[in-house]
Amino acid sequence: MKTALRFIALVMLAAILAACARETVEEPEAPEPPPTQEPVDEPETDRLNPRDYTDPRNLDNSDSLLSQRVIYFEFDRSNVRSQFRPIIEAHAEYLRSNPSARVMLEGHADERGSREYNLGLGERRGNSVQDLLSANNVPSRQVEVVSYGEERPVCRESNEDCWQRNRRVEIVYTAR
Amino acid sequence: MYSSARSLLSSFTTASLLVFALLFAAPAAAELRIEIVDGVEGAMPIAVAPFEWNSDMPEPEDGVADIVSADLHRSGLFDPMDESEMVDRPSEPTEVRFGTWRLLKVDHLVIGSVRETNDGMGYEIEYHLLDVHTGRILLSQALTVGLGDLRFGAHRVADAVYEALLGVPGAFATRIAYVAVRGTGADNETFELVVADADGHNPQTVVRNSQPILSPTWSPDARKLAYVSFATGRSQVIVQDLYTGQNRVVSADKGINGAPAFSPDGDKLAVSLSRTGSPEIWVIDLETGRSEQLTHHWSINTEPAWSPDGETIYFTSDRAGRPQIYAMDAGGGDPERVTWEGRYNAHASFGLEERYLAVIYSEGDEDYRIAIHDRETDRLRVLSDGRLDESPSFAPNGSMVLYATRRDGKSELAAVSADGRVRQRLVLSEGDDVREPAWSPMIR
């Protein structure tokens, strides 16, 4: 009986651990795209609307897409995947309505292959994000691209979990 | 014959080696220790007897013979006898009892002596290479070095012995540059550009910065290094004079400024610049500052490498989808694809001959290894066995390829002979990450 209980406990523990482990290896969560139909606006004036992408306060509001500033890429690719477009569009709206705001798009690559080629790859990713901002009518003077290649990893282990976190463009506001 | 060789050698080594002593004021970085992982079956048995010391100065713990022995051993091609097994310590050819050495089963013997020069400003190293079986003197030479350059003098002796026995110049009296990274995380990382002797001794920090440093490369006279710095937050190509300490920003355009490579005559610097929108190969005239764009393609074009004769520039491009090596006339023109084997070939490096290019090679996306591509047979030979090997740099005599590899989650340096038989690990005594090695040209 005791062993059976212990077994059940172990199985449950294993299940919990497995769930945790799975969560950490998952692709970086794609943000929820904004619903197509806007919910009815409540007549409030001072409450922060996370979907108001013109409001600087949303840059620090974890409920708002504007607080998300990292775009992730597939191996050796530089095209922006569809799940990241809403983030870029939110920032485009912010930049359009705040003409003095400036962003630096920092392109990064994972550690595989040559460092100089990876500088090129990081820049190409930065350019992809810049192209999307331009397509959303953001003036080019508000945007700059810099590539760090594989020189500035956020994760330092040599496995796919880390690599996918390192293949990224960080949207850094140099002026809000 | 012996004395003419002596005077010729002394005159040019004194000049160059004295300057070397004045090289750096920077504090020494941690030292690399070189371990032999694989040597050659049937390496040549040789004995380097302790050199007679004729000076009032204290004899260094690592004597000239120790350094020569260690160099020859490190090449993997020689099997030097342990000093404790020697029954004789001759320093003149007349003192050698060849029968004894034959019994000890060595083929060659190196003997010599060190004396202080008359002006007290340096040492004269006199040495002889003898064939134990025939009793013949194969080499008798002398060279003069500054007081602080005894190690370098010993490396020159090893170079001469290597060349006399193998017919290829040695590359022991050369230097290596590399990047050492201390700490982790963007906020507390320190990047150091270090220059050391080829055996890892005498490391000197040339540049220290909290921002990334990469792609160091030597000028053909081994007096300067060009490298990429992010010190301003953006990439710049900088040329650093190792003798005067002066540095000069050669390129700081919008976008990428990367992958510098000196032309063999030292007058130009090939770089990769993305000022036009995508990385292209450019050549900058170091005298006039004028730059010329050589490639015109929307793909990534980077890592230019000059052929030893300076006629051709090889580079990495993904114009066909994945990175491969291409070659074009050094004045520009249509590039021709060079590598076809494998999905990934990048970062070409040359030794003595244009025939052999060291590259980073990958069959798929899994393992990145160092390989040598043979231009004549179009065959590729994989030399390393790591998962993430990179930054190959040929020794100037073409004997070995130095590269960066990963071990236990850290980056360290390794070297492999061009035939794949000899392997070395270059281990830093401290826990720093070491990467981006560049082997210097021959130091004249």
Side-chain angles (χ1 to χ4, degrees):
Chain A
M1 185 62 189
K2 225 171 171 180
T3 29
L5 272 178
R6 195 181 296 158
F7 177 70
I8 290 165
L10 270 174
V11 168
M12 283 172 67
L13 183 65
I16 291 164
L17 283 176
C20 290
R22 211 175 309 127
E23 231 163 62
T24 57
V25 299
E26 250 166 43
E27 285 259 332
E29 269 303 309
E32 289 277 311
T36 42
Q37 201 184 343
E38 290 285 318
V40 185
D41 272 346
E42 284 173 46
E44 283 179 48
T45 45
D46 54 347
R47 237 188 71 190
L48 188 55
N49 175 5
R51 293 197 189 85
D52 178 0
Y53 303 131
T54 66
D55 191 330
R57 290 176 299 168
N58 274 328
L59 288 168
D60 302 315
N61 176 10
S62 57
D63 291 334
S64 174
L65 277 185
L66 280 185
S67 70
Q68 297 194 32
R69 297 192 206 128
V70 189
I71 313 298
Y72 296 96
F73 293 81
E74 289 171 289
F75 172 68
D76 204 28
R77 303 294 287 270
S78 55
N79 55 305
V80 174
R81 285 177 283 176
S82 56
Q83 68 261 42
F84 293 106
R85 284 172 178 259
I87 300 180
I88 295 168
E89 283 157 10
H91 287 285
E93 191 176 335
Y94 181 84
L95 288 165
R96 277 199 313 269
S97 50
N98 293 276
S100 61
R102 296 285 183 275
V103 288
M104 180 81 91
L105 303 175
E106 295 182 354
H108 299 268
D110 70 35
E111 64 180 343
R112 288 175 286 175
S114 104
R115 289 177 183 271
E116 288 283 354
Y117 179 75
N118 285 340
L119 270 186
L121 201 51
E123 183 177 75
R124 203 181 259 173
R125 288 173 178 152
N127 288 344
S128 291
V129 175
Q130 185 180 35
D131 288 348
L132 267 179
L133 290 175
S134 297
N136 284 279
N137 301 315
V138 175
S140 59
R141 67 184 147 77
Q142 285 181 273
V143 187
E144 193 185 342
V145 174
V146 65
S147 175
Y148 283 103
E150 60 175 282
E151 309 302 320
R152 284 285 186 217
V154 289
C155 184
R156 289 173 186 267
E157 282 155 48
S158 296
N159 54 45
E160 181 51 35
D161 295 344
C162 259
W163 290 335
Q164 67 183 6
R165 290 174 55 197
N166 290 335
R167 294 189 298 263
R168 69 199 193 278
V169 168
E170 294 190 19
I171 303 170
V172 177
Y173 278 84
T174 52
R176 293 186 163 192
Chain B
M1 170 200 137
Y2 160 31
S3 61
S4 73
R6 167 196 290 217
S7 57
L8 191 104
L9 253 170
S10 341
S11 59
F12 76 81
T13 48
T14 317
S16 63
L17 293 183
L18 279 175
V19 192
F20 243 90
L22 310 171
L23 241 179
F24 299 103
E31 204 162 283
L32 288 167
R33 193 181 69 248
I34 302 185
E35 297 170 1
I36 313 290
V37 181
D38 279 324
V40 174
E41 193 84 15
M44 291 169 80
I46 191 167
V48 186
F51 280 30
E52 192 177 276
W53 184 257
N54 300 311
S55 167
D56 294 336
M57 305 285 281
E59 187 176 358
E61 200 177 314
D62 259 3
V64 170
D66 298 319
I67 297 164
V68 174
S69 258
D71 280 349
L72 295 175
H73 174 63
R74 222 164 2 92
S75 76
L77 302 174
F78 292 90
D79 181 16
M81 173 183 263
D82 208 77
E83 197 199 316
S84 60
E85 293 168 32
M86 296 178 193
V87 291
D88 248 357
R89 280 160 178 67
S91 62
E92 288 289 336
T94 49
E95 299 166 8
V96 176
R97 290 178 294 181
F98 289 102
T100 313
W101 295 99
R102 278 196 285 268
L103 282 176
L104 291 169
K105 296 203 177 350
V106 294
D107 292 343
H108 297 96
L109 174 64
V110 180
I111 58 172
S113 59
V114 181
R115 69 170 189 89
E116 216 174 297
T117 52
N118 294 334
D119 59 7
M121 297 294 285
Y123 296 111
E124 185 184 75
I125 306 171
E126 187 182 312
Y127 63 98
H128 313 272
L129 169 66
L130 307 161
D131 183 320
V132 169
H133 300 287
T134 64
R136 278 183 51 214
I137 300 176
L138 302 179
L139 196 66
S140 268
Q141 280 180 342
L143 61 98
T144 310
V145 295
L147 287 177
D149 294 324
L150 200 55
R151 288 197 69 92
F152 215 77
H155 293 315
R156 285 210 183 275
V157 175
D159 278 347
V161 169
Y162 185 97
E163 181 163 13
L165 296 178
L166 298 173
V168 187
F172 303 115
T174 54
R175 314 201 90 199
I176 54 174
Y178 54 89
V179 175
V181 187
R182 200 158 297 168
T184 48
D187 296 332
N188 49 31
E189 256 177 342
T190 310
F191 296 81
E192 285 184 12
L193 178 57
V194 182
V195 170
D197 293 351
D199 64 354
H201 281 269
N202 192 25
Q204 305 282 341
T205 300
V206 181
V207 181
R208 184 181 288 126
N209 208 287
S210 60
Q211 299 297 323
I213 292 173
L214 67 155
S215 304
T217 187
W218 292 86
S219 65
D221 60 4
R223 296 180 62 93
K224 296 183 199 122
L225 281 178
Y227 64 96
V228 177
S229 164
F230 278 87
T232 60
R234 294 164 176 82
S235 58
Q236 294 184 314
V237 173
I238 294 175
V239 171
Q240 171 87 36
D241 189 309
L242 298 175
Y243 291 75
T244 65
Q246 284 180 322
N247 64 63
R248 176 177 153 206
V249 177
V250 174
S251 181
D253 266 310
K254 179 177 165 289
I256 294 168
N257 299 272
F262 283 95
S263 59
D265 62 11
D267 295 342
K268 300 186 205 80
L269 197 67
V271 289
S272 174
L273 308 178
S274 69
R275 61 161 95 146
T276 57
S278 60
E280 303 278 10
I281 307 297
W282 291 70
V283 170
I284 301 172
D285 186 313
L286 289 169
E287 184 77 28
T288 64
R290 271 189 38 214
S291 56
E292 190 191 348
Q293 183 177 351
L294 295 196
T295 58
H296 300 85
H297 196 276
W298 52 266
S299 60
I300 293 172
N301 302 281
T302 187
E303 298 170 333
W306 300 78
S307 62
D309 65 5
E311 299 285 318
T312 311
I313 292 178
Y314 290 72
F315 61 101
T316 307
S317 176
D318 65 352
R319 58 187 62 204
R322 305 297 308 265
Q324 294 291 346
I325 306 293
Y326 291 77
M328 68 182 163
D329 195 276
D334 283 339
E336 166 209 358
R337 182 167 166 181
V338 173
T339 52
W340 297 89
E341 209 175 317
R343 271 161 64 79
Y344 193 111
N345 286 286
H347 199 291
S349 166
F350 291 100
L352 269 182
E353 299 173 74
E354 185 171 351
R355 178 174 171 181
Y356 300 107
L357 304 73
V359 293
I360 305 173
Y361 161 84
S362 180
E363 214 156 282
D365 308 324
E366 286 304 314
D367 298 313
Y368 291 78
R369 291 183 168 155
I370 306 306
I372 287 183
H373 176 87
D374 183 337
R375 283 287 268 151
E376 242 154 68
T377 63
D378 255 337
R379 285 286 182 80
L380 194 112
R381 185 189 161 98
V382 179
L383 294 182
S384 73
D385 52 8
R387 275 184 69 211
L388 293 163
D389 298 343
E390 62 179 14
S391 310
S393 175
F394 245 118
N397 67 350
S399 63
M400 301 206 78
V401 179
L402 182 63
Y403 62 97
T405 186
R406 292 191 73 85
R407 192 183 177 101
D408 305 329
K410 290 177 60 65
S411 182
E412 65 175 41
L413 304 187
V416 58
S417 63
D419 62 8
R421 296 195 298 169
V422 181
R423 287 171 196 285
Q424 302 171 353
R425 272 184 79 195
L426 288 76
V427 194
L428 204 64
S429 45
E430 286 170 23
D432 299 356
D433 239 39
V434 190
R435 55 171 85 145
E436 296 286 89
W439 207 316
S440 83
M442 293 295 192
I443 294 169
R444 309 257 173 233

